Amino acid sequence: MEGLSSQELQDDDFDSKEHQACYVYTPEDRDDRPTKRRRTVKGKTKQTETESVQEPSNKCPFPVLLNGEEKEETVKLRYETYCRLWGEQQERTNAILQSFNNKTLEDVSGFVKSPTAESCDGKIPTALILTGPNIASHTPLFEQLASRIRDEEKIGPVVILTSKDATNLKSILKKLIRDATQQDEGIDDEEEEIVGRKGSKLLNYDLQILQNWCKLHEGQKVVIAIQDTEAFDGTILSDLVSLFSAYMDRIPFTLLMGIATSVEIFHEKLPKSTIRLMKGDKFDVERAEECLAQIFNDSMIGENPILRLGPTVCDFLLARYRDHNQSIQAFVGALKYAYMSHFYANPLSIILAFMDNLDSLGEVLTPLHIEAIRNVPSFKRYVEQKLNNRDATEVRKLLGDNDHVRSTVIASAAGCRSYAVCVGQALTVLEIARSCQMNQNRIPRYELYAQVLSGELHSGTTLVRDLLLSMKKMNSTSLLNLLDKVTEEVQVPYLVENVAPLRERIIALVEAAESSGKKTLNSEFNVTKDSLRATAVSKRIQLGEQKSALTKEDTEYSKLVQQVHDVAESYFKEHLKGLQGLFLHELFFYDLISPHRDVRTHPSHGLVFAPRSRSTVERALSAPQDYLGCECCTDESGEEVGIKATQPPASIIYQLYLESGALINIFDLWRAFYQVIGGDEGEDCDEATAQALAEMRFLGLVKHTKKKADHLAKLAWKGL
């Protein structure tokens, strides 16, 4: 080739594009690519992005309902109400999440701040954090620790290491040095030159770099947080601890070890020589179930929320949390979706915007809203109830008088809000009463909430009857403790008015009994019926002897216990009711089933809270008419006709891709695509093919292979 002239090379028939693997298309109607922008300051870039996101938009993202006849003002009102109510709920939820594990954060940050290498006898200060088996809560916990130590306490940089970073010791050191030296400094890897003591460039995994950084930042510690210690390779972790120990006189390391199992298993993972290099303490973390209980009680059972979850959606979310992800963030995200879905698709949700001013609600409800109210299931049950009571006049007004419906809606809205608050208070009383009894298993309120709404839990169920029976058997000390907790934590007027006098009388009886030398009063209902005697007569005789042994104060106390029992029974009977008989409960309790049904049992509905992204992508590519809503991809009867030229290029390529083997010849694929779109009439065939293949590669369906340069490797098969 060296002997050939340039002219001979130009005349050669060889075309390099025939063997080119990638082509770049530059349409003539587009301008040339602009010059590369100069690198800007990180803070300014974030500010520009924030400003662009916060640009106000006059277009409301919610659709027009009521067959397109809904007013624009009410559409905006639905969106504004959603933003306001969810903003208030999110603010309360964030406060709970920030306060959760607050004691652990304070203890760990205090431990990191206090010890030095001298106080630890030259060993590495190590905090063993018992995070528990809930893997989903580990990442938020360590993010909170990093934020507290780095930003609030200003102790030093925090580097979080996970098992996916532990491929080898070199990769761990690279990440450790990069994250520790570049936190909050905005240093670019390409602009920074790392120079050693004698002017030689240091390798990016040399701890000498971190040592030089510590000299420039005296007084700061380097905190290494290992999030999942059990998943780490034991040899790599042992080498890493040994390396930290060797540099302790030059770099003030502090280790945070996340342990999901136990300290004993952690000790078995590492050799004793490595364990002797560490010195510290262990810290317990609050259970994620306690955080879930706080968030659930605030969003469902508390007095602040207006919109709550219904029994079906609530059961589904709790079952998903308990059996699958166990993530607090996933539960909060599902709660946000429930808020959005309720206001997005329900035109009657504007009623929730007037809960603080129900008098002005009648001005907003149009005849279309009134007609929609007449179509909700609870309105039908409400009218049937009136018919059963032979109140025909009320039924005629509800069916024909719009003004009467408006006044009924205003009264029922206040009743729905009151019902939700009373159910929450009754569940709180129930939980307090069960906690004061030793033989009752603790059941959190979020487990009983859905049972009350669905009508499965009421005053006649076994749980409530056993509770009331145990209450009658309480002695004076236990009963006074129960009454004190109820009156302090739940301000229910009915209980305060009826229980307070009984409590004062029980205290007076106890004081009278103490003067005679008896400290605790017993109830006659607590007399044991167990006996070794075989006959019924002998058992009755023994029972009579036990009752005759009761003092006068015990007899009076038993009468008071019976009165307390009657008050509690009537309270539970009044407030532990299902919502099916409540008019307009659909507006205050989000319980739409169809968007959340399982695909296996209801094929026409997707599982929103657990999306099946792969099947959705496959269906969109193989049957684009289901999403585009077009008629060009089906025949006259509406049946699918396979591959058609009117389909999107990516869909055509995907359907051809399904017919291929493990290796796909690019030229054969292009030729088949060329024939589908119309042969010589396909003007943009090359560009459309390249774009479709790029989209397929972006979706992870194909990749380039080294086996054959002009082939693509197939990565996924439909349905597998």
Side-chain angles (χ1 to χ4, degrees):
M1 294 297 291
E2 295 180 357
L4 297 176
S5 62
S6 60
Q7 183 65 29
E8 290 174 342
L9 290 173
Q10 293 177 2
D11 295 339
D12 194 358
D13 292 336
F14 176 77
D15 187 3
S16 61
K17 292 184 178 181
E18 294 181 357
H19 302 276
Q20 190 170 341
C22 181
Y23 300 86
V24 179
Y25 297 95
T26 307
E28 297 179 357
D29 56 345
R30 296 182 183 178
D31 298 334
D32 295 335
R33 184 180 179 183
T35 57
K36 186 177 180 180
R37 296 181 180 179
R38 297 182 62 185
R39 184 174 181 269
T40 57
V41 182
K42 186 176 181 181
K44 293 183 179 180
T45 304
K46 287 186 176 181
Q47 182 179 1
T48 306
E49 294 177 355
T50 305
E51 292 176 355
S52 63
V53 171
Q54 293 179 351
E55 290 181 358
S57 177
N58 296 326
K59 186 177 180 181
C60 181
F62 279 11
V64 180
L65 303 177
L66 299 175
N67 294 326
E69 299 181 7
E70 187 180 15
K71 294 182 179 180
E72 183 179 355
E73 294 79 7
T74 56
V75 177
K76 290 183 178 180
L77 180 61
R78 283 193 291 118
Y79 179 68
E80 293 172 356
T81 307
Y82 158 70
C83 295
R84 177 175 61 85
L85 294 184
W86 173 248
E88 295 173 356
Q89 180 59 50
Q90 189 176 26
E91 184 178 355
R92 296 194 300 269
T93 302
N94 291 337
I96 294 174
L97 291 175
Q98 292 175 2
S99 62
F100 186 67
N101 284 329
N102 193 35
K103 183 178 184 303
T104 303
L105 297 178
E106 292 179 356
D107 294 342
V108 173
S109 60
F111 171 82
V112 174
K113 185 187 299 184
S114 59
T116 59
E118 293 76 11
S119 61
C120 293
D121 301 328
K123 298 181 180 180
I124 306 175
T126 306
L128 303 180
I129 305 174
L130 303 179
T131 55
N134 190 356
I135 305 298
S137 63
H138 294 179
T139 300
L141 171 63
F142 278 88
E143 289 177 354
Q144 288 179 331
L145 283 171
S147 177
R148 172 69 69 92
I149 296 172
R150 180 182 60 242
D151 302 330
E152 299 181 14
E153 302 292 343
K154 305 292 183 182
I155 299 175
V158 180
V159 180
I160 300 178
L161 300 177
T162 58
S163 57
K164 65 181 181 181
D165 304 320
T167 54
N168 52 64
L169 187 60
K170 184 185 295 185
S171 63
I172 294 179
L173 293 176
K174 286 181 181 179
K175 175 178 174 57
L176 189 155
I177 295 171
R178 181 180 67 251
D179 293 352
T181 57
Q182 296 180 7
Q183 287 186 8
D184 300 329
E185 293 186 5
I187 301 176
D188 194 359
D189 292 341
E190 298 179 356
E191 300 177 0
E192 181 187 15
E193 291 187 359
I194 304 172
V195 182
R197 189 184 308 172
K198 298 182 180 180
S200 60
K201 188 174 181 180
L202 300 175
L203 298 175
N204 56 0
Y205 55 87
D206 192 346
L207 285 179
Q208 180 68 36
I209 302 171
L210 189 57
Q211 179 182 345
N212 297 338
W213 183 89
C214 290
K215 291 180 180 178
L216 298 176
H217 302 78
E218 294 184 358
Q220 290 198 347
K221 299 179 179 180
V222 180
V223 181
I224 310 299
I226 300 178
Q227 182 172 316
D228 46 354
T229 306
E230 287 85 359
F232 253 75
D233 183 80
T235 304
I236 296 177
L237 183 59
S238 178
D239 295 342
L240 194 63
V241 173
S242 301
L243 193 59
F244 291 161
S245 178
Y247 275 84
M248 273 301 295
D249 56 341
R250 290 158 285 177
I251 303 176
F253 283 113
T254 299
L255 291 180
L256 305 181
M257 297 284 192
I259 301 176
T261 53
S262 63
V263 179
E264 290 75 14
I265 296 178
F266 172 74
H267 286 169
E268 294 176 358
K269 183 180 181 64
L270 298 176
K272 295 182 179 180
S273 58
T274 303
I275 295 177
R276 283 194 290 266
L277 299 176
M278 298 181 290
K279 183 178 180 180
D281 200 355
K282 65 177 181 179
F283 303 89
D284 292 324
V285 178
E286 295 183 32
R287 298 174 58 192
E289 287 76 10
E290 297 178 0
C291 181
L292 174 66
Q294 294 180 23
I295 295 176
F296 190 93
N297 293 341
D298 177 76
S299 59
M300 299 296 124
I301 300 177
E303 300 180 0
N304 295 319
I306 296 177
L307 178 63
R308 306 162 196 259
L309 297 180
T312 306
V313 177
C314 182
D315 275 339
F316 172 78
L317 292 182
L318 291 177
R320 175 165 174 76
Y321 171 84
R322 182 172 53 251
D323 301 333
H324 294 85
N325 52 25
Q326 294 187 347
S327 172
I328 301 296
Q329 285 70 24
F331 179 82
V332 175
L335 184 62
K336 181 179 181 180
Y337 176 84
Y339 267 74
M340 185 275 296
S341 180
H342 182 72
F343 287 96
Y344 185 88
N346 192 346
L348 300 179
S349 59
I350 59 172
I351 296 177
L352 303 185
F354 297 91
M355 292 308 300
D356 296 331
N357 187 15
L358 289 174
D359 296 335
S360 58
L361 175 60
E363 303 174 0
V364 181
L365 295 178
T366 63
L368 292 175
H369 291 104
I370 300 300
E371 191 63 28
I373 291 173
R374 291 191 176 107
N375 288 316
V376 297
S378 62
F379 181 85
K380 179 181 177 181
R381 288 191 291 268
Y382 183 71
V383 172
E384 291 176 350
Q385 182 181 1
K386 294 296 181 182
L387 287 175
N388 295 332
N389 297 333
R390 300 185 181 277
D391 193 353
T393 304
E394 180 70 15
V395 173
R396 292 192 188 96
K397 290 182 180 180
L398 290 173
L399 297 179
D401 190 353
N402 291 347
D403 293 334
H404 183 72
V405 173
R406 289 188 179 94
S407 60
T408 305
V409 167
I410 294 174
S412 299
C416 289
R417 182 75 183 277
S418 176
Y419 165 81
V421 174
C422 291
V423 167
Q425 292 176 345
L427 288 175
T428 304
V429 173
L430 192 64
E431 185 181 49
I432 294 173
R434 290 177 60 85
S435 64
C436 293
Q437 300 178 12
M438 301 298 295
N439 59 345
Q440 297 286 339
N441 296 327
R442 183 181 181 276
I443 302 177
R445 277 175 280 179
Y446 61 80
E447 295 284 352
L448 303 175
Y449 172 77
Q451 298 182 26
V452 175
L453 297 185
S454 61
E456 297 177 3
L457 179 63
H458 49 83
S459 59
T461 55
T462 304
L463 186 144
V464 179
R465 285 191 286 104
D466 291 345
L467 173 67
L468 295 175
L469 182 60
S470 301
M471 188 181 300
K472 293 175 67 175
K473 296 180 179 181
M474 284 184 172
N475 56 31
S476 59
T477 304
S478 300
L479 185 60
L480 287 175
N481 182 31
L482 169 61
L483 298 181
D484 291 340
K485 286 186 177 181
V486 169
T487 53
E488 290 176 2
E489 300 184 18
V490 185
Q491 299 298 326
V492 180
Y494 175 81
L495 293 179
V496 173
E497 294 174 0
N498 292 275
V499 170
L502 297 176
R503 176 179 173 275
E504 297 297 332
R505 293 173 62 183
I506 293 174
I507 293 177
L509 283 177
V510 171
E511 293 177 351
E514 288 179 351
S515 61
S516 60
K518 189 173 183 179
K519 297 182 179 180
T520 304
L521 297 178
N522 295 318
S523 171
E524 65 179 15
F525 305 103
N526 195 28
V527 174
T528 177
K529 297 182 181 180
D530 296 333
S531 176
L532 297 177
R533 300 180 182 180
T535 62
V537 176
S538 59
K539 289 182 180 181
R540 286 198 297 269
I541 293 174
Q542 184 180 10
L543 184 61
E545 292 175 353
Q546 292 176 352
K547 287 186 177 181
S548 61
L550 297 174
T551 62
K552 180 181 178 181
E553 289 81 4
D554 290 335
T555 304
E556 294 295 329
Y557 171 73
S558 301
K559 295 179 181 179
L560 296 177
V561 168
Q562 181 64 45
Q563 297 181 30
V564 173
H565 170 273
D566 295 340
V567 170
E569 185 179 16
S570 61
Y571 175 75
F572 288 136
K573 186 176 182 180
E574 178 66 24
H575 295 95
L576 292 181
K577 294 180 179 180
L579 54 77
Q580 295 301 321
L582 193 64
F583 179 40
L584 292 182
H585 67 82
E586 296 91 346
L587 305 183
F588 295 85
F589 296 88
Y590 176 77
D591 202 33
L592 291 181
I593 306 173
S594 57
H596 323 299
R597 287 175 174 171
D598 197 337
V599 180
R600 294 168 294 181
T601 56
H602 300 82
S604 60
H605 301 282
L607 198 56
V608 175
F609 295 129
R612 305 167 70 95
S613 55
R614 176 172 176 174
S615 60
T616 304
V617 172
E618 290 177 349
R619 179 181 176 184
L621 291 175
S622 58
Q625 63 274 6
D626 294 346
Y627 293 88
L628 299 178
C630 59
E631 300 178 356
C632 56
C633 301
T634 57
D635 57 9
E636 297 179 355
S637 61
E639 298 293 333
E640 300 179 7
V641 294
I643 304 176
K644 292 190 65 175
T646 56
Q647 295 176 343
S651 178
I652 299 174
I653 291 291
Y654 177 74
Q655 295 178 72
L656 296 172
Y657 158 90
L658 294 177
E659 301 174 358
S660 63
L663 292 179
I664 306 173
N665 188 296
I666 299 178
F667 179 78
D668 294 342
L669 188 63
W670 174 84
R671 175 60 63 181
F673 179 77
Y674 184 72
Q675 294 177 354
V676 169
I677 65 174
D680 297 335
E681 298 179 0
E683 299 178 356
D684 298 331
C685 180
D686 293 342
E687 184 175 358
T689 306
Q691 181 178 355
L693 288 176
E695 293 173 354
M696 296 277 288
R697 185 180 180 186
F698 176 77
L699 291 173
L701 300 176
V702 295
K703 73 172 183 178
H704 291 290
T705 176
K706 295 181 181 179
K707 295 181 180 180
K708 293 184 179 180
D710 57 344
H711 282 63
L712 294 174
K714 191 173 181 180
L715 298 179
W717 281 258
K718 185 178 180 181
L720 298 180

